[in-house]
């Protein structure tokens, strides 16, 4: 199967694609840079807050109070949920 | 707020969620013994992150970060939904106005190829360079 392409149309519409390409490049570069920053910050927060360092530092420092606070928080949430269902 | 700003914010949050997972997997891949060794020589939290965790985590997560960057570049086609004239929107407009589907799609393919190919080559080069920083190599 042979396809005839309209080269005149292609040449005419090239500037439109050029502008759109520039916009796409700008948008992609800014989005990639910002998302890298966002990703790095959020992953560090996740790592430090949830597991990793916090748990590790508990080995070396006294975390009894933190644990007590967590226990009280979680138990109060459970109690609240129970109240909500009864 | 302009449509470009809206697009940047949307794409940033979209990409940010994927990048977070990529970074997180890299950070969690760093062995616990590394952290304990850093603590044992008296590094602070910031120093531990800067000199022990991040170099190794970056080396591990570069491939997935590159894949996410290419995905984000291709995902820019979605901004046509907020009337931003990106490549996909221009191609759709031209098809609608002139019924030259093959020509418009050919130009679209070439434009994306011109954008993605150098980025892909650059990322594979970066990946090769950073691999030397992995622990144990």
């Amino acid at each position: 199967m042979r396809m005839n392409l309209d080269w005149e149309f292609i040449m005419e519409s090239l500037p439109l694609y050029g502008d759109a390409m520039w916009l796409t490049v700008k948008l992609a570069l800014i989005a990639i840079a910002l998302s890298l920053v966002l990703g790095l910050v959020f992953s560090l927060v996740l790592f430090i807050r949830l597991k990793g360092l916090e748990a590790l530092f508990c080995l070396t420092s006294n975390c009894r109070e933190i644990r007590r606070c967590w226990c009280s928080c979680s138990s109060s949430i459970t109690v609240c949920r129970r109240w909500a269902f009864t | 707020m302009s449509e470009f700003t809206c697009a940047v914010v949307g794409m940033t949050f979209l990409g940010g969620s994927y990048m977070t997972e990529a970074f997180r997997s890299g950070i969690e891949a760093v062995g616990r013994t590394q952290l304990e060794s850093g603590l044992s020589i008296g590094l602070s939290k910031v120093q531990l992150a800067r000199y022990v965790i991040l170099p190794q985590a970056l080396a591990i997560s570069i491939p997935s970060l590159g894949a996410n960057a290419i995905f984000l570049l291709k995902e820019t086609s979605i901004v046509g939904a907020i009337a931003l004239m990106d490549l996909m929107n221009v191609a759709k407009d031209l098809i609608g106005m002139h019924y030259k589907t093959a020509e418009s799609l050919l130009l679209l393919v070439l434009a994306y190829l011109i954008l993605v190919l150098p980025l892909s080559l650059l990322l594979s080069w970066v990946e090769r360079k950073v691999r030397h920083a992995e622990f144990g190599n």
Side-chain angles (χ1 to χ4, degrees):
Chain A
M1 191 175 75
R2 195 175 161 204
M3 192 190 305
N4 291 320
L5 292 174
D6 187 352
W7 290 102
E8 198 179 332
F9 172 77
I10 288 177
M11 295 311 286
E12 277 173 11
S13 52
L14 267 180
L16 283 174
Y17 277 91
D19 292 345
M21 213 156 97
W22 176 235
L23 179 86
T24 304
V25 167
K26 256 196 317 187
L27 184 63
L29 285 183
I30 296 173
I32 288 170
L34 290 179
S35 62
L36 275 174
V37 174
L38 200 73
L40 186 60
V41 170
F42 281 176
S43 59
L44 279 175
V45 168
L46 271 177
F47 181 66
I48 291 169
R49 284 279 159 199
L50 295 184
K51 13 186 146 171
L53 282 181
E54 185 124 332
L56 198 64
F57 273 90
C58 279
L59 296 175
T60 54
S61 61
N62 186 9
C63 289
R64 228 177 303 162
E65 289 177 12
I66 298 172
R67 283 200 196 114
R68 201 184 305 147
C69 174
W70 269 109
C71 288
S72 63
C73 285
S74 57
S75 64
S76 62
I77 289 168
T78 316
V79 169
C80 286
R81 279 186 188 152
R82 211 174 294 152
W83 282 347
F85 283 110
T86 51
Chain B
M1 191 187 278
S2 70
E3 63 266 30
F4 185 77
T5 317
C6 276
V8 166
V9 171
M11 298 292 296
T12 300
F13 279 109
L14 173 72
S17 55
Y18 286 104
M19 297 290 186
T20 303
E21 280 305 304
F23 273 122
R24 195 183 59 80
S25 62
I27 289 172
E28 283 188 6
V30 178
R32 201 173 178 79
T33 50
Q34 297 281 313
L35 306 181
E36 288 168 352
S37 308
L39 285 176
S40 69
I41 58 171
L43 295 181
S44 66
K45 262 186 184 183
V46 179
Q47 284 173 328
L48 199 63
R50 165 74 180 82
Y51 297 111
V52 179
I53 299 172
L54 283 183
Q56 295 181 62
L58 272 179
I60 293 166
S61 53
I62 278 286
S64 49
L65 291 179
N68 284 337
I70 291 173
F71 159 77
L72 212 55
L73 176 64
K74 290 187 289 184
E75 200 64 18
T76 50
S77 61
I78 208 165
V79 298
I82 52 170
L84 211 58
M85 289 304 282
D86 75 309
L87 283 168
M88 191 69 203
N89 212 5
V90 167
K92 276 200 291 192
D93 266 10
L94 288 176
I95 291 170
M97 282 191 296
H98 302 282
Y99 298 108
K100 303 276 187 191
T101 310
E103 288 86 353
S104 302
L105 290 182
L106 177 71
L107 282 174
L108 182 67
V109 167
L110 287 177
Y112 271 116
L113 195 67
I114 289 168
L115 291 180
V116 171
L117 206 58
L119 184 64
S120 173
L121 291 174
L122 176 77
L123 287 170
S124 33
W125 179 77
V126 170
E127 198 181 321
R128 269 201 311 275
K129 284 280 168 195
V130 174
R131 200 173 290 162
H132 296 295
E134 275 181 31
F135 179 73
N137 286 334

